[in-house]
Amino acid sequence: MGTPGPRVLAVVLGDQLDPDAALLEDLDPARDAVWMAEVAGEAEAVWSHKARLALFLAPMRHFRDHLAARGLPVRYQALNDHPHPSLGAALTAELCGSPPAVMRVTQPGEHRVLEALREATHAADAALEVLPDRHFLFDGGFFAGWADGRKAPRMEHFYRAARRATGILMEGDRPTGGRWNFDAENRGAFGRAGPPAVPTPAAFAPDAVTRGAMATVATHFPAHPGSLEGFDWPVTPAQARKALADFIDHRLPTFGAYQDAMWAGEPYLFHSRLSAALNLKLLPPGEVLAAAETAYRDGRAPLAAVEGFIRQVLGWREFVHGMYWRHMPDWLAWNALGAEGPLPALYWTGDTAMACLRAVVGQTLERGYAHHIQRLMVTGLFALLAGVRPRAVHEWYLAAYVDAVEWVELPNTLGMSQFADGGLRASKPYVASGRYIQRMSNYCRDCPFEPGRATGEGACPFTTLYWDFLDRHRARFARHPRTALQWRNLERFSEEELGAIRERAERVRASLA
């Protein structure tokens, strides 16, 4: 063992950049220290998009400077400063070289990282304290108390409990407006005329610290997918608050009606662009929720739009966090539908004749961003219909998107998108034909495939694979109360027609290799 180290070594991870974290309370600059590290192993755990890497490194470096300005000693290991290939190795070296009385960390956003921290402290014979993440509105105890005894925990039920517990959008014990959700008002499409004027979201020109992080990514990870051109994400709490104000003032009023719509050449539409700032802990969710509710109370945004947005932050986000820690690491191995196909190469290139996939994958590779319906009902839907191995889909989503942290990405991908958990996350698989994409976007307008056709020349691969999916999984879902009506549509096909669909589906899958 090395020379005695600090009383407390507070380890700050790349997705734990909360200036008000419990981890930072009561630190004595004379006796304690903060430790942060950039390690290649975290960048290469999945083949991460360059913008995702920059959006971890730049906020980390800004946070380092913020802590130093607060007078805290920060032991920061930049990528060039050490030879260690992994977070665990770097931390073990720190703990052995300068052993603290105790190492503290906020609960990580990934089970793998938590295990690495435990292994490092065990190897160094150091004490470890894992503190709850106060960024979330509900701790594990609240979620466990709600979930225990429920055969099938559902987000909608949790969301109502969360509304009651916080008083958000409540009038006494009743929901504001007399309804818990306004989904029916929040599924609009643009029609042939396209979207109304889309306000340009707030953008943040990289400063010297961010440019340095971008240069590090370009130097160390030149072969990684994606681009850093046009990088303009918020990387500090101050910038995140400006992005929040911009969304509330300019896009929230229209967000609800068109939150499920897609349009070529409009990557952001009326979405918030706040998920990365929230997931890196630059922005407290309570502040986001209060701003949205205030906009409704002040008459600046309609209730349907505000409820739809609050549902995402208070409902989906808090629910998947609780579900992730309740079911990991088992979730990672589940494959309820037995899908074993490889991830198509087009997910890394965008090279496909299918206009919707070309647009969404191309946008993803360019920006590291796609909104939730593009992810669920284009890239996710195609992988599900094609029978891609769920873990491969998960690893692509974790790599491709700037806001991807495993606690939120994995349940949404393996559960809601790929149904790999057999219905734990969602009660039924989200499957549709090309008609859905045609209705909700303009992608099909210039596509060589016809969304209404499953066989023959010009048949849409989504539609072919949709009917093939229903056919392959008929035994599982034909009598399911949530899916029986959808599966009953198979009855309109003769056995000869189903045979033609199966044959074409095999050709589609073979062409993806």
Side-chain angles (χ1 to χ4, degrees), residues 272-484:
S272 71
R273 291 210 337 156
L274 296 174
S275 54
L278 280 164
N279 294 349
L280 296 178
K281 318 300 168 55
L282 303 179
L283 193 60
E287 188 174 328
V288 174
L289 293 165
E293 183 171 17
T294 298
Y296 164 69
R297 302 288 183 191
D298 291 347
R300 293 183 287 124
L303 179 58
V306 171
E307 187 280 320
F309 179 67
I310 283 177
R311 168 182 293 267
Q312 291 188 352
V313 179
L314 180 62
W316 288 116
R317 195 168 182 274
E318 296 281 335
F319 178 74
V320 298
H321 183 252
M323 291 290 282
Y324 176 83
W325 286 108
R326 192 173 176 86
H327 295 287
M328 282 296 286
D330 296 343
W331 215 332
L332 195 57
W334 290 335
N335 186 0
L337 299 182
E340 294 293 347
L343 185 76
L346 69 87
Y347 279 75
W348 294 113
T349 65
D351 184 12
T352 174
M354 290 175 276
C356 58
L357 275 171
R358 187 171 65 248
V360 175
V361 173
Q363 172 189 310
T364 297
L365 294 176
E366 178 184 359
R367 301 172 183 271
Y369 175 84
H371 70 66
H372 68 286
I373 292 299
Q374 291 175 310
R375 301 187 203 194
L376 177 65
M377 299 305 295
V378 180
T379 50
L381 173 61
F382 190 77
L384 175 61
L385 298 179
V388 177
R389 185 169 62 92
R391 185 158 182 169
V393 184
H394 150 63
E395 290 173 352
W396 182 79
Y397 276 95
L398 189 61
Y401 291 108
V402 297
D403 59 2
V405 180
E406 193 179 80
W407 68 263
V408 64
E409 175 276 324
L410 182 148
N412 282 328
T413 302
L414 295 185
M416 190 171 185
S417 173
Q418 300 303 298
F419 205 75
D421 57 14
L424 177 69
R425 173 67 178 79
S427 60
K428 65 184 181 68
Y430 280 79
V431 291
S433 73
R435 289 284 199 191
Y436 175 86
I437 296 171
Q438 183 184 41
R439 184 170 71 253
M440 298 304 298
S441 77
N442 68 338
Y443 295 145
C444 301
R445 189 174 295 177
D446 299 315
C447 186
F449 301 109
E450 169 52 53
R453 298 190 64 182
T455 58
E457 190 68 25
C460 174
F462 276 85
T463 302
T464 301
L465 294 173
Y466 167 73
W467 291 112
D468 178 70
F469 180 93
L470 265 58
D471 181 46
R472 286 187 292 117
H473 297 289
R474 189 192 303 234
R476 183 183 187 112
F477 295 110
R479 297 182 183 275
H480 189 288
R482 292 290 311 279
T483 59

Side-chain angles (χ1 to χ4, degrees), residues 154 158 168 289:
R154 292 288 173 247
F158 174 82
I168 293 172
L289 293 165

Side-chain angles (χ1 to χ4, degrees), residues 28-44:
D28 181 350
R31 296 190 294 166
D32 305 325
V34 174
W35 185 85
M36 303 176 71
E38 304 169 3
V39 289
E42 290 303 301
E44 296 168 343

Side-chain angles (χ1 to χ4, degrees), residues 111-194:
H111 184 272
R112 173 187 62 84
V113 172
L114 179 59
E115 290 302 302
L117 296 175
R118 287 171 172 162
E119 291 172 8
T121 52
H122 178 75
D125 195 24
L128 170 65
E129 292 182 6
V130 180
L131 304 182
D133 191 345
R134 295 194 315 204
H135 167 87
F136 292 95
L137 300 176
F138 303 107
D139 61 20
F142 178 93
F143 189 85
W146 172 82
D148 285 350
R150 293 176 183 265
K151 184 177 180 181
R154 292 288 173 247
M155 191 285 295
E156 177 64 29
H157 302 144
F158 174 82
Y159 173 58
R160 296 182 185 191
R163 293 265 296 272
R164 290 188 178 102
T166 60
I168 293 172
L169 281 187
M170 296 292 293
E171 312 299 331
D173 62 353
R174 296 185 59 79
T176 300
R179 292 160 54 189
W180 289 105
N181 75 64
F182 290 80
D183 280 357
E185 288 92 330
N186 289 340
R187 294 173 179 158
F190 296 126
R192 295 191 64 83

